[in-house]
Amino acid sequence: MLTVVHSAAVFGIDAYGVRVEVDLSPGLPHVTLVGLPDGAVKESVDRVFVALKNSSFETPSLRLTVNLAPADRRKDGPAFDLPIAMGILASSGQIRADCMADVGFTGELSLDGGIRRVSGVLPMALEMRRLGRRRMIVPADNAREAAVVKGLDIFPVVSLNEAVAIVTGHGEREPFRLDASETQLDRPAYEADFHDVKGQEPAKRALEVAAAGGHNCLMVGPPGSGKTMLARRLPSILPPLSLSEALEVTKLYSVAGLLPSDVSLLSVRPFRAPHHTTSTAGLCGGGSIPRPGEVSLAHHGVLFLDELPEYRKDALEVLRQPLEDRQITISRATASLTYPASFTLVGSMNPCPCGFYGDTVRQCVCNAQQVRRYLDKLSGPMLDRIDIHIEVPRLSEQELMARPTGESSETIRERVLRARAVQLKRFEGRSVFTNASMTSRDLRTYCEPLPEAQALIRAAIAQFALSARAYDRILKVARTVADLAGEESIGVAHIAEAVQYRALDRKLWG
């Protein structure tokens, strides 16, 4: 008897429907699994038979054929355990097949019949709704992420027996519902706050400009000056995630298997800080079937690279594509996937190998050649893609011992929100949302400085030998500074502040 069970598989951050076709026919006991399954899927039949036996169901001694359609797309992972088990039960007559017509299934079976969580349930649930399914049975640990999808009844289960009871109607159960407060995004809770930062007013101002315009930032200073502390507080002044942004971020974490079971929708912007020993694949994504890397897990958030020159040069150079295109393409023999990677890059570094070049307290022990070799680990094209370069000096004794008196993150975020609102109105109906993403045509339209400001930027180009890309970055940052000031025109003060954020680049690398 042939039975069709509906499931889904993940490809990138989206899912596609999979028809699990199970057929039992007379013949010697034999199992055939087709449809481009990987190793984990091939092993599923062994898990399923033991789980059926330990759940007090009959295991048929017939010829079993399982097809995962479409057959031209590779299937991976253990998510097909539950749909295969339900197909075997229906094909052997232990349950009725027609009671599963509007149900989607996903879940990994343990040998005792329990159901474990799987990755990518949120995109699977979205696909089930698109295909017209009314109900979906998922592992209990995946219930919250699946319940985010409206118009689809979610039934969490912890065992195969429970899944069978739901589809056969034995025991009335209400679908899982989320508390409305779990999907509220307007008041994200951040533990780190800018009020805790002592001193460093220029650096805090630079990060405010970076948050307002979506600009990348590089902080240079001696060890212990507060670079990491500042970077960790940047998400707290970014605008709250919109629903579409939160869904994108949650889908990425669901696919990567990093979504906590007690979280339905990620409400805070990601902050990713990979170690400098991270490989290129770990940073940008990879694997035989490419998985999202750190640049994608930082989507709509902050990617913080501490000790930037210590990262592998090939890994840093791969960052150039996502910094420009806001996405990254990973090509392998089996698949080519494009993951979103729209993040704010914040880098930090010492000015030399020992960290005290130019320090007012400790003397640098590096010679000129060592300093130059250290700084040259960052290429010119990479530096040009970072809009803001800021120095973070050592705190004085008075600043260090004083109580924090700076503004709170909430106060700074209000100014950032006003500047972002100006940009959203400016780019209404476009795929551009921040000043950092403006095209060359946008620069000519929205970033024409006043005559006296043009004279200043002309002098800066001559003095610092700015590249064309650096010139564009100055105009974009100046536009953001003007937006924060609530001014339509770009004046001398706005250009001067934007040029200041490139001066450190020329001081160290020029």
Side-chain angles (χ1 to χ4, degrees):
M1 177 179 174
L2 174 64
T3 302
V4 176
V5 181
H6 301 288
S7 186
V10 174
F11 186 75
I13 64 168
D14 296 312
Y16 60 93
V18 175
R19 283 167 50 96
V20 181
E21 301 171 347
V22 180
D23 180 72
L24 281 174
S25 56
L28 293 175
H30 181 72
V31 177
T32 302
L33 182 59
V34 294
L36 284 183
D38 74 344
V41 181
K42 290 178 181 177
E43 293 173 351
S44 65
V45 176
D46 295 327
R47 289 193 297 271
V48 166
F49 271 95
V50 177
L52 287 171
K53 183 190 69 172
N54 290 332
S55 300
S56 301
F57 293 107
E58 295 179 8
T59 53
S61 299
L62 298 170
R63 182 178 182 84
L64 172 65
T65 304
V66 179
N67 177 42
L68 306 177
D72 60 342
R73 305 186 73 169
R74 183 166 293 279
K75 321 299 187 306
D76 68 308
F80 298 109
D81 288 9
L82 179 58
I84 290 174
M86 299 303 290
I88 292 174
L89 290 174
S91 293
S92 60
Q94 298 180 67
I95 62 175
R96 288 175 30 231
D98 58 356
C99 64
M100 299 188 294
D102 65 342
V103 187
F105 296 88
T106 187
E108 176 188 347
L109 284 174
S110 60
L111 298 184
D112 62 355
I115 297 181
R116 298 192 179 110
R117 68 174 298 166
V118 294
S119 301
V121 169
L122 175 56
M124 290 182 193
L126 289 168
E127 179 66 8
M128 288 292 101
R129 183 184 65 180
R130 189 190 70 81
L131 293 174
R133 310 289 169 245
R134 292 170 41 208
R135 298 179 291 167
M136 187 174 182
I137 293 179
V138 302
D141 287 341
N142 294 115
R144 292 187 178 278
E145 59 176 299
V148 170
V149 181
K150 303 302 180 184
L152 183 70
D153 290 339
I154 300 300
F155 292 89
V157 294
V158 297
S159 68
L160 179 58
N161 284 315
E162 193 175 354
V164 171
I166 290 173
V167 297
T168 56
H170 294 128
E172 292 295 325
R173 282 213 24 199
E174 291 294 321
F176 181 82
R177 304 293 184 195
L178 283 177
D179 190 327
S181 63
E182 294 190 45
T183 56
Q184 290 180 351
L185 304 171
D186 55 342
R187 288 289 175 183
Y190 293 98
E191 295 182 2
D193 195 285
F194 267 98
H195 178 70
D196 303 326
V197 181
K198 299 178 180 180
Q200 303 297 4
E201 297 305 322
K204 287 192 280 188
R205 168 62 179 179
L207 290 179
E208 179 182 340
V209 174
H215 303 288
N216 303 315
C217 183
L218 173 63
M219 296 183 287
V220 183
S225 59
K227 301 185 293 295
T228 302
M229 184 181 187
L230 286 163
R232 289 191 179 279
R233 281 153 178 75
L234 180 58
S236 68
I237 63 173
L238 291 171
L241 288 167
S242 66
L243 180 58
S244 61
E245 289 176 336
L247 278 172
E248 282 187 1
V249 175
T250 306
K251 282 168 65 177
L252 277 163
Y253 278 72
S254 175
V255 168
L258 299 177
L259 188 67
S261 59
D262 59 344
V263 172
S264 56
L265 197 66
L266 292 175
S267 59
V268 298
R269 292 189 179 269
F271 179 86
R272 303 295 299 182
H275 193 259
H276 62 78
T277 57
T278 301
S279 65
T280 303
L283 193 62
C284 301
S288 57
I289 297 178
R291 294 292 185 185
E294 293 291 339
V295 298
S296 295
L297 295 175
H299 185 53
H300 292 315
V302 175
L303 177 65
F304 177 53
L305 302 183
D306 196 13
E307 303 298 339
L308 194 59
E310 301 299 333
Y311 285 80
R312 293 174 47 172
K313 191 165 186 177
D314 57 340
L316 291 180
E317 293 305 310
V318 172
L319 287 177
R320 287 159 62 173
Q321 185 206 2
L323 287 176
E324 288 289 338
D325 302 335
R326 303 293 178 180
Q327 61 183 22
I328 186 163
T329 301
I330 309 166
S331 296
R332 295 292 184 269
T334 56
S336 179
L337 292 174
T338 298
Y339 285 111
S342 179
F343 57 86
T344 299
L345 174 66
V346 178
S348 74
M349 59 178 289
N350 298 328
C352 68
C354 77
F356 300 103
Y357 178 72
D359 189 45
T360 57
V361 177
R362 294 189 60 175
Q363 184 176 359
C364 175
V365 297
C366 308
N367 59 42
Q369 186 178 7
Q370 289 174 319
V371 174
R372 175 53 49 199
R373 190 183 303 116
Y374 180 78
L375 295 175
D376 284 345
K377 290 181 179 180
L378 296 183
S379 66
M382 183 67 185
L383 286 170
D384 279 347
R385 285 171 170 81
I386 300 177
D387 303 356
I388 296 174
H389 305 152
I390 187 70
E391 192 166 10
V392 185
R394 178 193 299 273
L395 291 176
S396 65
E397 292 180 2
Q398 292 79 8
E399 290 175 318
L400 196 60
M401 298 181 67
R403 295 178 64 86
T405 57
E407 294 179 305
S408 67
S409 292
E410 185 175 359
T411 302
I412 300 173
R413 185 168 62 240
E414 288 176 359
R415 294 197 295 268
V416 170
L417 286 172
R418 286 196 295 269
R420 286 286 184 108
V422 171
Q423 295 167 57
L424 287 175
K425 185 177 180 180
R426 177 182 298 139
F427 306 122
E428 191 173 4
R430 303 260 318 275
S431 59
V432 176
F433 302 103
T434 60
N435 290 332
S437 302
M438 284 191 290
T439 64
S440 299
R441 182 178 298 177
D442 294 327
L443 289 176
R444 294 192 296 270
T445 305
Y446 304 113
C447 299
E448 187 68 27
L450 294 174
E452 56 271 26
Q454 291 182 6
L456 177 60
I457 198 170
R458 193 177 295 112
I461 292 172
Q463 180 175 351
F464 298 123
L466 297 174
S467 67
R469 184 178 281 115
Y471 169 71
D472 289 349
R473 303 289 178 186
I474 287 177
L475 289 181
K476 292 177 181 180
V477 173
R479 178 69 272 168
T480 300
V481 174
D483 290 343
L484 282 168
E487 298 182 16
E488 182 65 31
S489 301
I490 298 178
V492 172
H494 311 138
I495 291 291
E497 183 172 350
V499 169
Q500 168 195 320
Y501 295 139
R502 305 300 303 191
L504 181 62
D505 172 17
R506 300 306 151 187
K507 173 183 174 182
L508 293 177
W509 286 274

